[in-house]
Amino acid sequence: MSEKILIVDDEHEIADLVALYLENENYTVYKYYTATEALECIDREKLDMAVLDVMLPDMSGFQICQKIREKHTYPVIMLTAKGEEIDKITGLTLGADDYVTKPFLPLELVARVKAQMRRYKRYNKGGESGEEGIIAFSGLVLNINTHECTLNEKTLLLTPTEFSILRILCQKKGRVVSSEELFHGVWGEEYYNKNNNTITVHIRHLREKMGDSFESPQYIKTVWGCGYKIEN
């Protein structure tokens, strides 16, 4: 069974072209030009990914992302306007996993989709190994095999990206991990732009879900100029 991907963009040419490329990769595509139709699809279909344009006529892609994150953890890729850095930050803060800046090459988006889908499959099916598949300390428990996370016996609803970042930090407990190392570990891409704030936004989102403060964090600590570490 092919994975199901939602495409939402009011620019018909872009939506049609993206749908064509993804269908050629044997994905099942649900293509819409309005948020209203997309939300109906989200409620009706069991999706594996969503690709959302930020600017839509009836509702922003950010609002759709929020709706998705209320119930689902599948990957969300935002399509942002060129140079709109605030769009990237907002999308990541609301739970998006990645973003692609317009104009883009269709093959670039296909590559991003494939990368996110690979991680999502690992997230759902497990397949990673650790010592008995469990990492636990100070009330934080990660099950590497089932990709479940609890903090003080309360389940944390993490996206695949958030889980991957937390897993890497936990597996390297006590050691400082740079943003570049986290980026390569999560996305598996060779190119890293030092001005890329993707990791920073995801770390902030993780802290919010964990109830951890930026000023005096109990879990994820910032080592200025170096990266992040998690320790007892």
Side-chain angles (χ1 to χ4, degrees):
M1 182 181 295
S2 64
E3 292 89 353
K4 299 178 179 179
I5 301 178
L6 172 68
I7 304 292
V8 192
D9 197 316
D10 64 330
E11 295 184 65
H12 291 215
E13 290 184 1
I14 292 178
D16 295 347
L17 186 61
V18 169
L20 177 62
Y21 270 78
L22 291 176
E23 286 169 347
N24 286 339
E25 296 291 333
N26 296 318
Y27 293 114
T28 297
V29 176
Y30 296 86
K31 177 184 64 180
Y32 299 101
Y33 308 122
T34 67
T36 301
E37 294 174 306
L39 290 173
E40 291 174 356
C41 178
I42 290 167
D43 289 336
R44 183 178 68 248
E45 300 291 340
K46 185 177 180 181
L47 300 169
D48 297 290
M49 183 180 295
V51 179
L52 312 174
D53 185 29
V54 171
M55 299 298 294
L56 296 168
D58 50 344
M59 181 185 292
S60 75
F62 299 140
Q63 291 171 291
I64 301 177
C65 184
Q66 279 184 300
K67 292 288 186 181
I68 289 173
R69 285 293 173 251
E70 288 174 3
K71 297 180 180 179
H72 308 288
T73 59
Y74 54 73
V76 174
I77 297 177
M78 304 297 299
L79 303 180
T80 68
K82 184 177 181 180
E84 293 296 330
E85 189 70 20
I86 188 63
D87 284 351
K88 301 171 186 177
I89 296 173
T90 301
L92 294 170
T93 300
L94 294 175
D97 296 276
D98 201 359
Y99 57 83
V100 176
T101 302
K102 293 183 177 181
F104 57 84
L105 295 175
L107 288 177
E108 175 193 358
L109 179 58
V110 170
R112 297 288 186 92
V113 165
K114 287 183 175 180
Q116 291 293 335
M117 198 67 77
R118 284 194 298 269
R119 291 195 307 104
Y120 184 53
K121 285 181 178 179
R122 291 199 302 268
Y123 182 89
N124 281 318
K125 296 179 181 178
E128 298 183 68
S129 61
E131 186 176 353
E132 298 182 351
I134 300 293
I135 300 175
F137 61 95
S138 298
L140 180 66
V141 179
L142 277 79
N143 188 316
I144 303 301
N145 297 312
T146 64
H147 288 84
E148 295 174 321
C149 179
T150 61
L151 181 60
N152 297 324
E153 300 184 353
K154 179 182 178 181
T155 299
L156 298 182
L157 185 61
L158 304 181
T159 67
T161 299
E162 292 164 354
F163 187 92
S164 295
I165 291 173
L166 191 56
R167 171 184 57 79
I168 292 171
L169 290 174
C170 287
Q171 288 176 331
K172 299 180 182 294
K173 184 172 63 176
R175 180 191 141 190
V176 177
V177 185
S178 69
S179 294
E180 183 173 359
E181 186 177 351
L182 283 171
F183 185 85
H184 292 319
V186 173
W187 280 276
E189 297 180 5
E190 293 184 6
Y191 176 73
Y192 175 73
N193 184 343
K194 292 184 177 180
N195 294 322
N196 190 320
N197 53 20
T198 302
I199 295 297
T200 302
V201 175
H202 282 303
I203 291 289
R204 187 171 71 215
H205 215 217
L206 268 171
R207 283 174 173 155
E208 290 172 356
K209 290 187 176 183
M210 297 170 72
D212 216 4
S213 70
F214 172 79
E215 295 80 8
S216 181
Q218 182 179 355
Y219 296 99
I220 303 175
K221 300 177 181 179
T222 300
V223 180
W224 296 109
C226 299
Y228 304 93
K229 67 177 179 178
I230 191 165
E231 60 184 5
N232 290 325

